[in-house]
Amino acid sequence: MNSLPPGAPGSAAHDLALDALGSGFGNAFLICGIAAALAAVLTAAGMIGVPPSPQLQGRSP
């Protein structure tokens, strides 16, 4: 499904564009995964030593 016929100027960039898109998506997922893990670590570290809410202490689970 090329928009350019073979031999037209710019049609040779098709494979390069597909490789770049595949690499870009892989990098994006990696960066998002690292950011999510970092956010989880920072949240857990920030909650250390925080006392429970007084409103929740009298309730049963």
Side-chain angles (χ1 to χ4, degrees), residues 10-50:
S11 65
H14 180 261
D15 292 331
L16 178 64
L18 287 178
D19 289 340
L21 281 175
S23 176
F25 284 130
N27 290 341
F29 283 119
L30 177 65
I31 290 170
C32 287
I34 291 171
L38 181 62
V41 168
L42 288 175
T43 300
M47 292 179 67
I48 293 175
V50 175

